[in-house]
Amino acid sequence: MLKERLEKNLNKQINKELFSAYLYMSMGAYFQSANLLGFANWMHIQAQEEMQHAQKFYNYINERGARVILEQIEKPKTEWASNLNAFEEALAHEEFITNSINELVNIALEEKDHATNIFLQWFVTEQVEEEASVTEIINKLKLMKDAPGGIFMLDRELAQRQLNIQQTAQ
Ligand code: FEO
C-alpha cells in the first residue's frame, strides 16, 4: 500500500503530465496555424508521449492499491513571441517537471518506499532525454536566427519524429 503522502504527490504528477500534454498540443496548434507542420508534428508527438507518462503514473497508483484522483487541468497559453520562444518555454517546463520528479524521488526515499523509487528512475532518465532534445532544437533555432532556409530545413527534420510507444503497464 502506498503511503498517503506518496499517493497525493503521485496524483499531482498525473495532473502535471496531463498539463504537459495540453501545453504541447497548444504549441502544436500554434505551429499548425503558422504552417510549420513539422514543428507541429514534433509537438503533437510530444503531447502523446506526455499522455503515456500520465498513464504510467495512473497505472502505478492503481497497481499499488491506491486511488487515482483526477483534478482540473490548467488552461495552457495559446500564443508565443516566436518559434524560439515556444521551445524555450518548453525547456523551462521540462526543467519544472524534472524538479517535480526529483522531489518525488526524495519523498519515496524519505518514506523508504523502494518500489516507488525504482518506478521513478525511468522518469529520471526520461527527463534527461526530454531536456536534451528540446535544447538541441533551441540551439539550432539560435544558430539560424529565423533564416527562412534554416526554418524550412528544420521543419522537414521535425516532421520525421514518430511516436515511441512506451510500455505503460507496470
Ligand atoms: Fe513527462 Fe515531458 O515530462
Side-chain angles (χ1 to χ4, degrees):
M1 190 72 182
L2 272 178
K3 295 249 177 69
E4 200 182 316
R5 185 176 169 216
L6 270 171
E7 181 178 20
K8 198 170 128 212
N9 283 284
L10 289 168
N11 265 300
K12 277 191 188 169
Q13 192 64 33
I14 293 182
N15 190 272
K16 288 174 191 171
E17 300 292 345
L18 290 175
F19 174 75
S20 304
Y22 227 36
L23 175 66
Y24 296 131
M25 278 178 80
S26 190
M27 287 181 175
Y30 165 77
F31 285 122
Q32 192 92 24
S33 72
N35 266 324
L36 289 168
L37 303 186
F39 282 70
N41 173 65
W42 193 95
M43 287 296 174
H44 295 151
I45 301 286
Q46 187 70 13
Q48 289 177 66
E49 286 201 356
E50 300 301 352
M51 291 296 293
Q52 292 181 351
H53 296 170
Q55 186 75 53
K56 270 181 186 276
F57 281 101
Y58 182 103
N59 291 352
Y60 182 74
I61 292 169
N62 281 328
E63 195 184 31
R64 292 293 304 275
R67 178 76 163 87
V68 169
I69 303 285
L70 298 177
E71 301 285 351
Q72 187 170 336
I73 303 167
E74 189 188 330
K75 182 179 184 220
K77 276 176 69 171
T78 55
E79 298 291 337
W80 286 269
S82 63
N83 302 331
L84 176 61
N85 176 242
F87 277 91
E88 282 176 337
E89 288 199 7
L91 179 60
H93 181 69
E94 286 306 325
E95 287 168 347
F96 163 74
I97 294 292
T98 299
N99 286 337
S100 179
I101 298 286
N102 287 341
E103 188 50 34
L104 278 172
V105 172
N106 290 341
I107 295 170
L109 293 175
E110 281 167 25
E111 299 291 345
K112 298 186 171 43
D113 186 332
H114 299 288
T116 299
N117 177 34
I118 289 169
F119 165 74
L120 290 169
Q121 293 309 306
W122 184 89
F123 287 93
V124 170
T125 308
E126 173 73 3
Q127 282 310 118
V128 173
E129 203 180 296
E130 295 260 285
E131 288 189 24
S133 64
V134 181
T135 301
E136 192 185 322
I137 296 168
I138 288 173
N139 289 341
K140 285 180 181 172
L141 283 168
K142 281 183 177 166
L143 268 176
M144 65 185 62
K145 292 188 172 64
D146 277 338
I151 296 292
F152 178 75
M153 296 268 286
L154 184 57
D155 192 57
R156 283 223 314 218
E157 182 187 324
L158 298 183
Q160 305 303 316
R161 185 177 185 193
Q162 292 183 348
L163 182 63
N164 178 19
I165 305 284
Q166 296 159 7
Q167 179 64 263
T168 52
Q170 292 297 319

